[in-house]
Amino acid sequence: MSSDSPPLRPTLNFPPELLLRAQPVRVVFFDVDGVLTDGGLYFGESGETLKRFHTLDGHGIKLLQRAGITPAVVSGRDSLALRARLKALGVVHTRFGTEDKRPAAEAILAELGLDWSAAAAMGDDWPDLPMLRRAALACAPPTAHPELLALAHHVTQRLPGAGAVRELCDLLLVASGHYARELEAAAS
């Protein structure tokens, strides 16, 4: 960008009441299958689990970290592929192989010295309900179970494993005042 180029103007627009709800968020809990992935389960010939992740979602998680918002993962499954992806993204607050997600999330909240009033959660099925019911901001992808869609404060336009996580990240970045700054830095 040349020095005479005008600053970029963000094109994202979220409802004011949603931005107000998102402002106090300091930690966001993500489910994996059906949120960070498309929900399909892929198994190799040796029985290993294969997962497909989207780069938009990964970059959104990195942007959250730069903004001081902690990404956390609470998943009912565990796999080497998942652990490798989260390690590459620098996500350290994780719980794997747990169907009882509320105590797992509450342990992370305690580690961070936070409570549910500073938390967002994104899930797609019944095991995620305890997190979404307590979080200050509940989010779901459009393919989530109807009970989660009814509970969500925000249902993403993007599909799971295809930018849904990034959409929530962008919402949190706009609400925290970091989005425009990060956009301008990216365009420099």
Side-chain angles (χ1 to χ4, degrees):
M1 183 168 101
S2 69
S3 61
D4 59 343
S5 295
L8 284 175
R9 296 184 58 178
T11 59
L12 290 181
N13 191 8
F14 295 101
E17 62 276 5
L18 187 60
L19 291 171
L20 285 173
R21 180 174 284 283
Q23 279 182 340
V25 170
R26 297 295 168 259
V27 60
V28 56
F29 294 103
F30 296 106
D31 177 36
V32 175
D33 296 321
V35 173
L36 278 166
T37 74
D38 64 9
L41 297 175
Y42 306 92
F43 295 97
E45 288 181 19
S46 304
E48 74 276 13
T49 303
L50 308 172
K51 294 190 181 287
R52 179 188 169 277
F53 298 96
H54 202 286
T55 58
L56 280 176
D57 295 335
H59 189 67
I61 287 171
K62 288 180 180 181
L63 290 170
L64 281 184
Q65 292 167 322
R66 289 205 306 243
I69 300 170
T70 302
V73 168
V74 179
S75 178
R77 296 186 183 277
D78 191 2
S79 71
L80 293 176
L82 171 59
R83 287 180 182 252
R85 180 64 175 145
L86 295 178
K87 182 178 180 183
L89 294 174
V91 177
V92 296
H93 296 282
T94 58
R95 298 296 187 274
F96 304 109
T98 179
E99 288 296 321
D100 196 0
K101 294 185 177 187
R102 177 182 171 193
E106 287 176 345
I108 293 171
L109 286 170
E111 289 171 15
L112 297 171
L114 298 171
D115 61 34
W116 286 108
S117 68
M122 185 173 195
D124 72 318
D125 207 348
W126 287 11
D128 305 313
L129 280 169
M131 293 191 307
L132 270 69
R133 286 187 64 213
R134 287 160 180 81
L137 176 65
C139 188
T143 56
H145 189 279
E147 298 300 339
L148 277 85
L149 293 173
L151 186 64
H153 301 110
H154 179 65
V155 176
T156 65
Q157 293 179 15
R158 303 288 305 246
L159 294 174
V165 165
R166 177 59 178 272
E167 187 176 322
L168 174 55
C169 294
D170 287 344
L171 165 62
L172 295 171
L173 291 167
V174 170
S176 69
H178 288 87
Y179 186 88
R181 193 170 34 244
E182 288 289 344
L183 178 64
E184 190 61 40
S188 314

